[in-house]
Amino acid sequence: IFRGTLSKRGVRVITGLGKYFRQIDKNRDGFLSQAALKEALKLFHLEMPEGDFESLCLILDDRKRDKVDYGEFTHAIFGEMNEYRKAFVRKAYMKLDFNKTGSVPMVDVRKCYCAK
């Protein structure tokens, strides 16, 4: 959808949009209504022609539930991670999963990461 190199503004918009999606997802199921997605895009000045929006929703709402998976939306924007980035994420995860359980409790993340 938004291919090419992202500018600093583009990165801020995308990360802000993801944060906004999480805020309005009250039941935390990872889905938004099509109306909520449209409003979010408008709020972040990413409006598109109605036909393009309908096409986007057809892709992201393949079960016709009037729900859009915002994880899939984000994936559609960023695409697949390159191998360097995947390796970096794996390395970070291995450090976080110091008990080698295959999952990382939030308390362990907080010990290792400060978002400030």
Side-chain angles (χ1 to χ4, degrees):
I1 297 168
F2 305 102
R3 294 288 181 216
T5 304
L6 288 173
S7 66
K8 286 182 183 180
R9 179 191 175 278
V11 170
R12 281 194 314 268
V13 167
I14 298 304
T15 54
L17 193 57
K19 184 177 179 181
Y20 181 75
F21 284 164
R22 289 185 295 279
Q23 287 174 349
I24 64 174
D25 181 13
K26 298 300 181 196
N27 59 2
R28 300 189 184 273
D29 66 355
F31 290 92
L32 302 173
S33 71
Q34 289 181 17
L37 175 63
K38 184 180 257 186
E39 187 61 33
L41 293 176
K42 184 177 180 180
L43 182 69
F44 283 85
H45 307 289
L46 297 172
E47 295 173 86
M48 61 184 71
E50 188 61 33
D52 291 349
F53 182 78
E54 288 172 8
S55 295
L56 174 66
C57 288
L58 284 174
I59 293 167
L60 298 176
D61 184 16
D62 57 352
R63 295 184 188 159
K64 311 289 185 265
R65 299 174 296 173
D66 184 40
K67 288 187 174 187
V68 175
D69 181 330
Y70 62 79
E72 286 185 27
F73 174 80
T74 305
H75 180 74
I77 292 172
F78 285 117
E80 195 67 36
M81 281 195 280
N82 64 35
E83 287 305 315
Y84 173 78
R85 189 167 172 212
K86 284 180 185 177
F88 190 79
V89 169
R90 280 189 211 102
K91 187 175 180 180
Y93 187 83
M94 287 170 46
K95 284 191 177 248
L96 289 172
D97 186 20
F98 41 82
N99 293 328
K100 307 296 183 234
T101 62
S103 66
V104 180
M106 188 55 69
V107 68
D108 290 347
V109 173
R110 286 188 182 113
K111 288 178 190 174
C112 301
Y113 179 75
C114 176
K116 293 178 185 175

